[in-house]
Amino acid sequence: MGLLDFVYEYTPFIAEGVVVTLQISVISFLLGLALGIALLGLSLTSLRPLARMYIEPVRGTPLLVQLLLIYFGLPSIGIKLDAFTSSFLALGLNSAAYQAEIFRSALKSIPDVQILSAESLGFSGSQVYRYVILPQALRISIPSLVNEFVTVVKESSLASVIGIVELTRRGEYVAAYTYRALESYLVVAAIYFAVCYLISYLSRRIEEKIRIPGYT
Ligand code: ARG
């Protein structure tokens, strides 16, 4: 079978994995968003060390090891999670640490002079946050958040290790069935690339629309 025939024959089966890949990615990203905002909130209070105690170990250990801990490790202390739940928990808990940092650096990028000006105009502390800092910080975070989503989509391939049949796992099936690993994984890679490229492309279009003058 030539390359084109191979692609024609097996791409539909592999591409169906996009559905599970995106399911895991979206759920994980949203979980990471919620927890990331919570972590940010925590790090703005006197409980900041607590937030750091979460963020640093999560960023300092491999996601694969975190996934294995959740799926194979937790049952030892009576917490049995199925593979799908383990996958989005691991990815979501992991992404939360990165998203918290994205928000933190966006907040820090708002010049102090704006806060002082708002205060001198009589804004209260919470009004400064609500009307001056947050609207800008959110827009500044968007490119990095999209980047993080693309990372989550790619990292979701790790779920294949614990038996989730998503994009990567489908490629493994085809490679095992046809003995043509090169072609199989090239198809897998091309599909990831198409998905990630599309996401980045769309987000660039959106960014152009909401750009704040004076910021790059
Ligand atoms: N491969 C890295 C790891 O295993 C990436 C972690 C996920 N990164 C992220 N931005 N969510 O640690």
Side-chain angles (χ1 to χ4, degrees), residues 53-75 81 83 85-98 148 155 158-159 161-162:
M53 273 166 59
Y54 179 85
I55 293 170
E56 297 300 339
V58 168
R59 293 199 311 162
T61 53
L63 176 56
L64 175 58
V65 175
Q66 295 164 12
L67 178 65
L68 296 175
L69 268 174
I70 289 178
Y71 187 61
F72 294 113
L74 289 187
L81 302 168
T85 309
S86 303
S87 301
F88 77 70
L89 260 188
L91 257 177
L93 290 172
N94 180 277
S95 186
Y98 288 89
E148 173 64 17
E155 297 288 333
L158 287 175
V161 169
I162 59 170

Side-chain angles (χ1 to χ4, degrees), residues 19-175:
V19 176
V20 177
T21 288
L22 286 181
Q23 275 171 356
I24 294 183
S25 307
V26 170
I27 298 174
S28 306
F29 181 79
L30 293 179
L31 177 65
L33 184 67
L35 285 173
I37 291 172
L39 280 170
L40 174 74
L42 206 62
S43 69
L44 295 176
T45 69
S46 57
L47 293 175
R48 186 178 136 78
L50 221 60
R52 299 315 306 173
M53 273 166 59
Y54 179 85
I55 293 170
E56 297 300 339
V58 168
R59 293 199 311 162
T61 53
L63 176 56
L64 175 58
V65 175
Q66 295 164 12
L67 178 65
L68 296 175
L69 268 174
I70 289 178
Y71 187 61
F72 294 113
L74 289 187
S76 308
I77 53 168
I79 305 175
K80 276 207 180 85
L81 302 168
D82 60 62
F84 191 83
T85 309
S86 303
S87 301
F88 77 70
L89 260 188
L91 257 177
L93 290 172
N94 180 277
S95 186
Y98 288 89
Q99 295 194 44
E101 292 293 84
I102 289 172
F103 292 130
R104 196 173 65 98
S105 57
L107 283 188
K108 274 203 315 198
S109 72
I110 309 293
D112 284 347
V113 65
Q114 292 194 12
I115 299 166
L116 295 175
S117 314
E119 279 169 356
S120 77
L121 288 171
F123 283 49
S124 71
S126 64
Q127 282 176 328
V128 173
Y129 256 98
R130 174 134 181 243
Y131 297 111
V132 180
I133 302 181
L134 286 184
Q136 298 185 81
L138 274 181
R139 282 198 276 187
I140 293 169
S141 315
I142 288 174
S144 315
L145 285 179
V146 173
N147 216 354
E148 173 64 17
F149 181 66
V150 169
T151 301
V152 169
V153 170
K154 290 184 292 176
E155 297 288 333
S156 73
S157 63
L158 287 175
S160 65
V161 169
I162 59 170
I164 297 287
V165 187
E166 35 64 86
L167 207 43
T168 305
R169 188 64 180 226
R170 280 181 180 252
E172 281 173 16
Y173 281 166
V174 173

Side-chain angles (χ1 to χ4, degrees), residues 6-7 10-11 13-15 17-18 21 153-154 157 160 166-175 180-196:
F6 181 94
V7 169
Y10 293 106
T11 299
F13 173 79
I14 297 178
V18 165
T21 288
V153 170
K154 290 184 292 176
S157 63
S160 65
E166 35 64 86
L167 207 43
T168 305
R169 188 64 180 226
R170 280 181 180 252
E172 281 173 16
Y173 281 166
V174 173
R180 295 178 65 165
L182 177 64
E183 294 90 335
S184 304
Y185 292 123
L186 276 178
V187 170
V188 171
I191 297 173
Y192 275 112
F193 180 69
V195 171
C196 294

